[in-house]
Amino acid sequence: MLQRTAAVTAALVITLVSVAGCAAGPGGTASSATTAAVPQLDPQVASTLDDALRTVQASPGVASATNRIELHQRYTAADGTDVTPPGLDAWDNRDAGPAAPPPNGGVSPDDPMLPPVPTPSTRPTPPVGATETHSFSSAFVVTMDPDATPSEAMAVPVAMAERIAWTGVTLTLQVPAGPGHVLSTVTYSGTFDQQIPDETALGVASGLATLAATPGVTGLEASIPQTMRIDYGSLTIGVSPADDATLARVHGVIDGTAFAGTTLHGSFGNGAKP
């Protein structure tokens, strides 16, 4: 399934020659005066993200909610080549917390299948003369109660969109398996710089609840893109048993939900594609 993680580029682009003074790095380590300062999240941005997290944690039907913020530094040479030292982001974020995983278990903003970059023991030295860009990303992971209603699930992305104004935020929202339904997961990728209408979020939550309770569905995961066009997202469904009748029944249910026009991925119980 295609997954996109957006990042917001902060209003900080400088050419590194030397930096006067020091900036406190993670764990209290001070950056050298001859290297760039460790990026820091703007206090107003941090406060807004904290407010969104507290609001979600207090929402009905929410069992747990965490947010992991990561800061990113990129260095570009005069010819446009990326000359960022390997492991720089890992070092900058080695004390980041809480330990919420990125959406869908991914460990790289560029490719969720890549392993994490090992954290170096000392901060990598940035190249002199390169253009430096700072950005941040924020990954909310919210787990609902197994018996949470679609209305309770839809309230989470709506509340976040009311408080957050950046595309660098993703939300992974899970409803655990319960009596009569399987686990369902939906990821909103970079959508939180706009209003999310109640009816859109409810359509997503209701569609997932309906599909999760459909006989023959063994797994369910949806992705909502930055455009909030549900049909431009994707839907991954596991189906068992591997027969045409089961597949036809599941297709019929999909056609009656907000995911009717969404790109469909999936597999039968034996791994074959439908």
Side-chain angles (χ1 to χ4, degrees):
M1 180 179 69
L2 177 64
Q3 179 185 330
R4 176 175 56 187
T5 302
V8 173
T9 300
L12 176 57
V13 178
I14 62 175
T15 299
L16 174 63
V17 177
S18 64
V19 177
C22 297
T29 302
S31 302
S32 167
T34 60
T35 61
V38 174
Q40 302 291 328
L41 191 63
D42 181 272
Q44 183 176 357
V45 174
S47 176
T48 302
L49 292 171
D50 286 344
D51 174 62
L53 180 61
R54 287 192 298 268
T55 299
V56 170
Q57 289 172 330
S59 297
V62 172
S64 67
T66 58
N67 178 33
R68 180 180 176 88
I69 299 171
E70 293 194 356
L71 305 175
H72 308 287
Q73 279 181 301
R74 293 292 178 266
Y75 291 88
T76 307
D79 62 359
T81 304
D82 186 348
V83 291
T84 306
L88 181 60
D89 277 357
W91 194 93
D92 285 346
N93 292 296
R94 71 190 192 281
D95 295 329
N104 296 332
V107 293
S108 166
D110 302 314
D111 187 343
M113 300 304 294
L114 290 177
V117 176
T119 303
S121 57
T122 58
R123 187 169 188 261
T125 302
V128 174
T131 299
E132 177 184 2
T133 304
H134 292 182
S135 60
F136 80 92
S137 61
S138 168
F140 282 73
V141 178
V142 179
T143 301
M144 305 297 296
D145 294 326
D147 60 351
T149 66
S151 294
E152 290 173 335
M154 77 90 172
V156 172
V158 170
M160 287 179 56
E162 290 174 347
R163 290 164 173 79
I164 298 172
W166 310 283
T167 58
V169 180
T170 62
L171 164 66
T172 298
L173 181 64
Q174 301 175 329
V175 178
H181 67 86
V182 300
L183 164 72
S184 65
T185 302
V186 58
T187 297
Y188 286 83
S189 299
T191 59
F192 298 105
D193 63 338
Q194 61 191 303
Q195 179 185 11
I196 297 180
D198 288 5
E199 58 270 23
T200 301
L202 183 58
V204 170
S206 297
L208 288 173
T210 298
L211 288 166
T214 299
V217 172
T218 60
L220 184 59
E221 186 172 307
S223 176
I224 309 300
Q226 183 173 342
T227 59
M228 279 302 300
R229 286 285 302 273
I230 299 174
D231 54 333
Y232 280 25
S234 62
L235 185 64
T236 302
I237 301 181
V239 178
S240 182
D243 56 45
D244 291 341
T246 301
L247 183 58
R249 183 172 63 252
V250 172
H251 269 292
V253 174
I254 293 171
D255 290 342
T257 71
F259 297 100
T262 302
T263 302
L264 178 64
H265 306 272
S267 66
F268 286 122
N270 64 358
K273 285 291 183 181

mmCIF file of all heavy atoms in Angstrom, residues 149-151 153-154 181-182 184-186 188 199-214 217 220-222 230 235 237 250 253-260:
data_model
loop_
_atom_site.group_PDB
_atom_site.id
_atom_site.type_symbol
_atom_site.label_atom_id
_atom_site.label_comp_id
_atom_site.label_asym_id
_atom_site.label_seq_id
_atom_site.Cartn_x
_atom_site.Cartn_y
_atom_site.Cartn_z
ATOM 1 N N THR A 149 -17.550 3.483 19.030
ATOM 2 C CA THR A 149 -18.489 3.694 17.930
ATOM 3 C C THR A 149 -17.824 4.486 16.800
ATOM 4 O O THR A 149 -16.811 5.168 17.023
ATOM 5 C CB THR A 149 -19.714 4.474 18.412
ATOM 6 O OG1 THR A 149 -19.298 5.811 18.791
ATOM 7 C CG2 THR A 149 -20.363 3.789 19.614
ATOM 8 N N PRO A 150 -18.373 4.424 15.577
ATOM 9 C CA PRO A 150 -17.842 5.256 14.498
ATOM 10 C C PRO A 150 -17.845 6.743 14.844
ATOM 11 O O PRO A 150 -16.924 7.471 14.460
ATOM 12 C CB PRO A 150 -18.781 4.948 13.326
ATOM 13 C CG PRO A 150 -19.231 3.544 13.581
ATOM 14 C CD PRO A 150 -19.381 3.474 15.080
ATOM 15 N N SER A 151 -18.841 7.193 15.577
ATOM 16 C CA SER A 151 -18.890 8.608 15.959
ATOM 17 C C SER A 151 -17.722 8.963 16.874
ATOM 18 O O SER A 151 -17.139 10.047 16.768
ATOM 19 C CB SER A 151 -20.213 8.927 16.663
ATOM 20 O OG SER A 151 -21.301 8.802 15.774
ATOM 21 N N ALA A 153 -14.793 7.359 16.914
ATOM 22 C CA ALA A 153 -13.581 7.276 16.102
ATOM 23 C C ALA A 153 -13.429 8.488 15.191
ATOM 24 O O ALA A 153 -12.328 9.021 15.033
ATOM 25 C CB ALA A 153 -13.596 5.992 15.276
ATOM 26 N N MET A 154 -14.524 8.945 14.623
ATOM 27 C CA MET A 154 -14.434 10.085 13.697
ATOM 28 C C MET A 154 -14.084 11.368 14.421
ATOM 29 O O MET A 154 -13.513 12.299 13.834
ATOM 30 C CB MET A 154 -15.739 10.252 12.922
ATOM 31 C CG MET A 154 -16.885 10.891 13.656
ATOM 32 S SD MET A 154 -16.959 12.698 13.490
ATOM 33 C CE MET A 154 -18.540 13.056 14.271
ATOM 34 N N HIS A 181 -15.967 -8.314 15.088
ATOM 35 C CA HIS A 181 -15.229 -7.495 14.126
ATOM 36 C C HIS A 181 -13.726 -7.660 14.310
ATOM 37 O O HIS A 181 -13.239 -7.930 15.406
ATOM 38 C CB HIS A 181 -15.623 -6.014 14.237
ATOM 39 C CG HIS A 181 -15.219 -5.363 15.527
ATOM 40 N ND1 HIS A 181 -13.981 -4.796 15.737
ATOM 41 C CD2 HIS A 181 -15.890 -5.204 16.698
ATOM 42 C CE1 HIS A 181 -13.915 -4.301 16.962
ATOM 43 N NE2 HIS A 181 -15.054 -4.540 17.571
ATOM 44 N N VAL A 182 -12.989 -7.443 13.194
ATOM 45 C CA VAL A 182 -11.529 -7.564 13.214
ATOM 46 C C VAL A 182 -10.912 -6.195 13.489
ATOM 47 O O VAL A 182 -11.595 -5.165 13.489
ATOM 48 C CB VAL A 182 -11.006 -8.120 11.875
ATOM 49 C CG1 VAL A 182 -11.589 -9.500 11.603
ATOM 50 C CG2 VAL A 182 -11.303 -7.167 10.721
ATOM 51 N N SER A 184 -9.142 -2.830 12.761
ATOM 52 C CA SER A 184 -9.097 -1.914 11.614
ATOM 53 C C SER A 184 -8.146 -0.772 11.924
ATOM 54 O O SER A 184 -8.041 -0.315 13.062
ATOM 55 C CB SER A 184 -10.488 -1.356 11.287
ATOM 56 O OG SER A 184 -10.974 -0.540 12.343
ATOM 57 N N THR A 185 -7.434 -0.319 10.893
ATOM 58 C CA THR A 185 -6.458 0.760 11.036
ATOM 59 C C THR A 185 -6.641 1.742 9.893
ATOM 60 O O THR A 185 -6.777 1.345 8.736
ATOM 61 C CB THR A 185 -5.019 0.214 10.991
ATOM 62 O OG1 THR A 185 -4.841 -0.752 12.029
ATOM 63 C CG2 THR A 185 -4.004 1.331 11.176
ATOM 64 N N VAL A 186 -6.643 3.022 10.217
ATOM 65 C CA VAL A 186 -6.677 4.053 9.177
ATOM 66 C C VAL A 186 -5.588 5.067 9.478
ATOM 67 O O VAL A 186 -5.371 5.450 10.623
ATOM 68 C CB VAL A 186 -8.062 4.746 9.095
ATOM 69 C CG1 VAL A 186 -8.453 5.393 10.427
ATOM 70 C CG2 VAL A 186 -8.085 5.773 7.970
ATOM 71 N N TYR A 188 -4.269 8.845 8.458
ATOM 72 C CA TYR A 188 -4.442 10.146 7.819
ATOM 73 C C TYR A 188 -3.044 10.731 7.635
ATOM 74 O O TYR A 188 -2.328 10.968 8.601
ATOM 75 C CB TYR A 188 -5.272 11.070 8.705
ATOM 76 C CG TYR A 188 -6.755 10.755 8.757
ATOM 77 C CD1 TYR A 188 -7.256 9.772 9.613
ATOM 78 C CD2 TYR A 188 -7.659 11.453 7.966
ATOM 79 C CE1 TYR A 188 -8.608 9.488 9.670
ATOM 80 C CE2 TYR A 188 -9.022 11.179 8.021
ATOM 81 C CZ TYR A 188 -9.492 10.199 8.867
ATOM 82 O OH TYR A 188 -10.836 9.928 8.928
ATOM 83 N N GLU A 199 -18.815 14.777 8.256
ATOM 84 C CA GLU A 199 -19.396 13.726 7.432
ATOM 85 C C GLU A 199 -18.329 12.883 6.727
ATOM 86 O O GLU A 199 -18.503 11.683 6.515
ATOM 87 C CB GLU A 199 -20.359 14.312 6.399
ATOM 88 C CG GLU A 199 -19.763 15.337 5.452
ATOM 89 C CD GLU A 199 -19.867 16.763 5.970
ATOM 90 O OE1 GLU A 199 -19.995 16.937 7.211
ATOM 91 O OE2 GLU A 199 -19.819 17.686 5.148
ATOM 92 N N THR A 200 -17.196 13.528 6.395
ATOM 93 C CA THR A 200 -16.105 12.780 5.764
ATOM 94 C C THR A 200 -15.475 11.816 6.755
ATOM 95 O O THR A 200 -15.266 10.625 6.455
ATOM 96 C CB THR A 200 -15.038 13.741 5.216
ATOM 97 O OG1 THR A 200 -15.625 14.623 4.272
ATOM 98 C CG2 THR A 200 -13.912 12.969 4.542
ATOM 99 N N ALA A 201 -15.134 12.320 7.945
ATOM 100 C CA ALA A 201 -14.528 11.464 8.961
ATOM 101 C C ALA A 201 -15.486 10.362 9.399
ATOM 102 O O ALA A 201 -15.070 9.217 9.645
ATOM 103 C CB ALA A 201 -14.103 12.304 10.163
ATOM 104 N N LEU A 202 -16.790 10.679 9.484
ATOM 105 C CA LEU A 202 -17.764 9.670 9.869
ATOM 106 C C LEU A 202 -17.905 8.616 8.777
ATOM 107 O O LEU A 202 -18.065 7.423 9.068
ATOM 108 C CB LEU A 202 -19.118 10.316 10.154
ATOM 109 C CG LEU A 202 -20.217 9.374 10.644
ATOM 110 C CD1 LEU A 202 -19.790 8.664 11.930
ATOM 111 C CD2 LEU A 202 -21.524 10.137 10.853
ATOM 112 N N GLY A 203 -17.828 9.048 7.519
ATOM 113 C CA GLY A 203 -17.891 8.093 6.420
ATOM 114 C C GLY A 203 -16.749 7.100 6.472
ATOM 115 O O GLY A 203 -16.935 5.897 6.233
ATOM 116 N N VAL A 204 -15.552 7.593 6.786
ATOM 117 C CA VAL A 204 -14.395 6.714 6.912
ATOM 118 C C VAL A 204 -14.585 5.747 8.077
ATOM 119 O O VAL A 204 -14.404 4.526 7.940
ATOM 120 C CB VAL A 204 -13.100 7.537 7.108
ATOM 121 C CG1 VAL A 204 -11.934 6.628 7.479
ATOM 122 C CG2 VAL A 204 -12.781 8.333 5.847
ATOM 123 N N ALA A 205 -14.943 6.273 9.243
ATOM 124 C CA ALA A 205 -15.086 5.439 10.435
ATOM 125 C C ALA A 205 -16.217 4.420 10.282
ATOM 126 O O ALA A 205 -16.078 3.252 10.669
ATOM 127 C CB ALA A 205 -15.333 6.320 11.658
ATOM 128 N N SER A 206 -17.332 4.850 9.709
ATOM 129 C CA SER A 206 -18.461 3.941 9.519
ATOM 130 C C SER A 206 -18.131 2.862 8.494
ATOM 131 O O SER A 206 -18.487 1.686 8.668
ATOM 132 C CB SER A 206 -19.700 4.720 9.071
ATOM 133 O OG SER A 206 -20.108 5.640 10.064
ATOM 134 N N GLY A 207 -17.445 3.261 7.409
ATOM 135 C CA GLY A 207 -17.066 2.281 6.402
ATOM 136 C C GLY A 207 -16.137 1.222 6.959
ATOM 137 O O GLY A 207 -16.303 0.021 6.684
ATOM 138 N N LEU A 208 -15.167 1.647 7.761
ATOM 139 C CA LEU A 208 -14.247 0.690 8.360
ATOM 140 C C LEU A 208 -14.969 -0.230 9.345
ATOM 141 O O LEU A 208 -14.699 -1.440 9.388
ATOM 142 C CB LEU A 208 -13.118 1.427 9.065
ATOM 143 C CG LEU A 208 -12.089 2.104 8.158
ATOM 144 C CD1 LEU A 208 -11.123 2.942 8.977
ATOM 145 C CD2 LEU A 208 -11.329 1.070 7.338
ATOM 146 N N ALA A 209 -15.878 0.332 10.129
ATOM 147 C CA ALA A 209 -16.624 -0.490 11.087
ATOM 148 C C ALA A 209 -17.471 -1.529 10.362
ATOM 149 O O ALA A 209 -17.557 -2.690 10.790
ATOM 150 C CB ALA A 209 -17.499 0.403 11.968
ATOM 151 N N THR A 210 -18.083 -1.128 9.272
ATOM 152 C CA THR A 210 -18.912 -2.056 8.490
ATOM 153 C C THR A 210 -18.074 -3.175 7.895
ATOM 154 O O THR A 210 -18.420 -4.357 7.977
ATOM 155 C CB THR A 210 -19.640 -1.297 7.365
ATOM 156 O OG1 THR A 210 -20.507 -0.317 7.941
ATOM 157 C CG2 THR A 210 -20.463 -2.256 6.510
ATOM 158 N N LEU A 211 -16.936 -2.800 7.305
ATOM 159 C CA LEU A 211 -16.062 -3.803 6.693
ATOM 160 C C LEU A 211 -15.431 -4.708 7.749
ATOM 161 O O LEU A 211 -15.264 -5.911 7.522
ATOM 162 C CB LEU A 211 -14.980 -3.113 5.875
ATOM 163 C CG LEU A 211 -15.462 -2.478 4.570
ATOM 164 C CD1 LEU A 211 -14.413 -1.528 4.001
ATOM 165 C CD2 LEU A 211 -15.778 -3.573 3.554
ATOM 166 N N ALA A 212 -15.067 -4.147 8.893
ATOM 167 C CA ALA A 212 -14.452 -4.951 9.953
ATOM 168 C C ALA A 212 -15.403 -6.011 10.476
ATOM 169 O O ALA A 212 -14.963 -7.039 11.002
ATOM 170 C CB ALA A 212 -13.990 -4.047 11.094
ATOM 171 N N ALA A 213 -16.710 -5.776 10.344
ATOM 172 C CA ALA A 213 -17.712 -6.739 10.814
ATOM 173 C C ALA A 213 -18.245 -7.618 9.694
ATOM 174 O O ALA A 213 -19.162 -8.416 9.923
ATOM 175 C CB ALA A 213 -18.864 -5.980 11.475
ATOM 176 N N THR A 214 -17.679 -7.498 8.507
ATOM 177 C CA THR A 214 -18.146 -8.289 7.365
ATOM 178 C C THR A 214 -17.564 -9.701 7.412
ATOM 179 O O THR A 214 -16.350 -9.865 7.503
ATOM 180 C CB THR A 214 -17.735 -7.608 6.041
ATOM 181 O OG1 THR A 214 -18.340 -6.308 5.980
ATOM 182 C CG2 THR A 214 -18.176 -8.435 4.848
ATOM 183 N N VAL A 217 -13.794 -11.067 6.104
ATOM 184 C CA VAL A 217 -12.718 -10.078 6.201
ATOM 185 C C VAL A 217 -11.826 -10.440 7.384
ATOM 186 O O VAL A 217 -12.302 -10.571 8.515
ATOM 187 C CB VAL A 217 -13.277 -8.651 6.369
ATOM 188 C CG1 VAL A 217 -12.150 -7.654 6.674
ATOM 189 C CG2 VAL A 217 -14.020 -8.223 5.114
ATOM 190 N N LEU A 220 -7.793 -5.332 7.830
ATOM 191 C CA LEU A 220 -8.350 -4.112 7.246
ATOM 192 C C LEU A 220 -7.471 -2.920 7.569
ATOM 193 O O LEU A 220 -7.193 -2.633 8.726
ATOM 194 C CB LEU A 220 -9.757 -3.886 7.811
ATOM 195 C CG LEU A 220 -10.583 -2.720 7.291
ATOM 196 C CD1 LEU A 220 -10.799 -2.823 5.783
ATOM 197 C CD2 LEU A 220 -11.925 -2.679 8.014
ATOM 198 N N GLU A 221 -7.020 -2.239 6.524
ATOM 199 C CA GLU A 221 -6.173 -1.062 6.715
ATOM 200 C C GLU A 221 -6.454 -0.064 5.598
ATOM 201 O O GLU A 221 -6.471 -0.422 4.413
ATOM 202 C CB GLU A 221 -4.705 -1.465 6.700
ATOM 203 C CG GLU A 221 -3.748 -0.338 7.037
ATOM 204 C CD GLU A 221 -2.327 -0.861 7.186
ATOM 205 O OE1 GLU A 221 -2.133 -1.813 7.960
ATOM 206 O OE2 GLU A 221 -1.438 -0.311 6.522
ATOM 207 N N ALA A 222 -6.678 1.197 5.960
ATOM 208 C CA ALA A 222 -6.983 2.238 4.982
ATOM 209 C C ALA A 222 -5.989 3.383 5.108
ATOM 210 O O ALA A 222 -5.419 3.618 6.174
ATOM 211 C CB ALA A 222 -8.409 2.759 5.184
ATOM 212 N N ILE A 230 -10.798 10.451 -0.415
ATOM 213 C CA ILE A 230 -10.783 9.059 0.017
ATOM 214 C C ILE A 230 -10.520 8.125 -1.155
ATOM 215 O O ILE A 230 -9.796 7.138 -1.038
ATOM 216 C CB ILE A 230 -12.114 8.699 0.707
ATOM 217 C CG1 ILE A 230 -12.314 9.569 1.946
ATOM 218 C CG2 ILE A 230 -12.143 7.229 1.101
ATOM 219 C CD1 ILE A 230 -13.654 9.394 2.615
ATOM 220 N N LEU A 235 -7.045 0.996 0.217
ATOM 221 C CA LEU A 235 -7.725 0.121 1.148
ATOM 222 C C LEU A 235 -7.119 -1.274 0.999
ATOM 223 O O LEU A 235 -7.096 -1.834 -0.103
ATOM 224 C CB LEU A 235 -9.223 0.081 0.855
ATOM 225 C CG LEU A 235 -10.132 -0.696 1.811
ATOM 226 C CD1 LEU A 235 -10.120 -0.048 3.197
ATOM 227 C CD2 LEU A 235 -11.557 -0.734 1.271
ATOM 228 N N ILE A 237 -7.314 -5.150 2.264
ATOM 229 C CA ILE A 237 -8.225 -6.074 2.930
ATOM 230 C C ILE A 237 -7.718 -7.502 2.781
ATOM 231 O O ILE A 237 -7.360 -7.931 1.682
ATOM 232 C CB ILE A 237 -9.650 -5.976 2.340
ATOM 233 C CG1 ILE A 237 -10.195 -4.556 2.472
ATOM 234 C CG2 ILE A 237 -10.595 -6.955 3.032
ATOM 235 C CD1 ILE A 237 -11.594 -4.395 1.931
ATOM 236 N N VAL A 250 -17.632 -9.188 -0.252
ATOM 237 C CA VAL A 250 -16.843 -8.091 0.311
ATOM 238 C C VAL A 250 -16.863 -6.891 -0.635
ATOM 239 O O VAL A 250 -17.012 -5.745 -0.197
ATOM 240 C CB VAL A 250 -15.395 -8.549 0.587
ATOM 241 C CG1 VAL A 250 -14.524 -7.358 0.994
ATOM 242 C CG2 VAL A 250 -15.379 -9.606 1.680
ATOM 243 N N VAL A 253 -20.024 -4.987 -0.177
ATOM 244 C CA VAL A 253 -20.041 -4.155 1.025
ATOM 245 C C VAL A 253 -19.231 -2.882 0.795
ATOM 246 O O VAL A 253 -19.649 -1.781 1.178
ATOM 247 C CB VAL A 253 -19.492 -4.945 2.229
ATOM 248 C CG1 VAL A 253 -19.379 -4.038 3.458
ATOM 249 C CG2 VAL A 253 -20.386 -6.136 2.535
ATOM 250 N N ILE A 254 -18.054 -3.017 0.170
ATOM 251 C CA ILE A 254 -17.210 -1.846 -0.103
ATOM 252 C C ILE A 254 -17.971 -0.818 -0.917
ATOM 253 O O ILE A 254 -17.898 0.390 -0.645
ATOM 254 C CB ILE A 254 -15.928 -2.273 -0.847
ATOM 255 C CG1 ILE A 254 -15.047 -3.127 0.046
ATOM 256 C CG2 ILE A 254 -15.146 -1.047 -1.318
ATOM 257 C CD1 ILE A 254 -13.874 -3.763 -0.677
ATOM 258 N N ASP A 255 -18.715 -1.271 -1.905
ATOM 259 C CA ASP A 255 -19.440 -0.354 -2.795
ATOM 260 C C ASP A 255 -20.505 0.455 -2.066
ATOM 261 O O ASP A 255 -20.964 1.479 -2.579
ATOM 262 C CB ASP A 255 -20.079 -1.135 -3.945
ATOM 263 C CG ASP A 255 -19.043 -1.672 -4.922
ATOM 264 O OD1 ASP A 255 -17.898 -1.169 -4.905
ATOM 265 O OD2 ASP A 255 -19.377 -2.597 -5.697
ATOM 266 N N GLY A 256 -20.878 0.019 -0.873
ATOM 267 C CA GLY A 256 -21.869 0.760 -0.098
ATOM 268 C C GLY A 256 -21.263 1.654 0.964
ATOM 269 O O GLY A 256 -21.991 2.198 1.797
ATOM 270 N N THR A 257 -19.937 1.828 0.921
ATOM 271 C CA THR A 257 -19.251 2.656 1.917
ATOM 272 C C THR A 257 -18.550 3.832 1.243
ATOM 273 O O THR A 257 -18.561 3.971 0.018
ATOM 274 C CB THR A 257 -18.200 1.831 2.693
ATOM 275 O OG1 THR A 257 -17.100 1.541 1.813
ATOM 276 C CG2 THR A 257 -18.789 0.534 3.217
ATOM 277 N N ALA A 258 -17.904 4.658 2.073
ATOM 278 C CA ALA A 258 -17.145 5.804 1.549
ATOM 279 C C ALA A 258 -15.937 5.354 0.739
ATOM 280 O O ALA A 258 -15.320 6.168 0.041
ATOM 281 C CB ALA A 258 -16.686 6.684 2.712
ATOM 282 N N PHE A 259 -15.583 4.079 0.802
ATOM 283 C CA PHE A 259 -14.414 3.559 0.086
ATOM 284 C C PHE A 259 -14.772 2.981 -1.278
ATOM 285 O O PHE A 259 -13.953 2.294 -1.892
ATOM 286 C CB PHE A 259 -13.732 2.478 0.933
ATOM 287 C CG PHE A 259 -13.200 2.978 2.237
ATOM 288 C CD1 PHE A 259 -13.907 2.777 3.413
ATOM 289 C CD2 PHE A 259 -11.996 3.667 2.297
ATOM 290 C CE1 PHE A 259 -13.424 3.246 4.627
ATOM 291 C CE2 PHE A 259 -11.501 4.143 3.506
ATOM 292 C CZ PHE A 259 -12.224 3.928 4.667
ATOM 293 N N ALA A 260 -15.949 3.271 -1.769
ATOM 294 C CA ALA A 260 -16.417 2.661 -3.018
ATOM 295 C C ALA A 260 -15.452 2.890 -4.181
ATOM 296 O O ALA A 260 -15.239 2.002 -4.998
ATOM 297 C CB ALA A 260 -17.801 3.189 -3.367
#
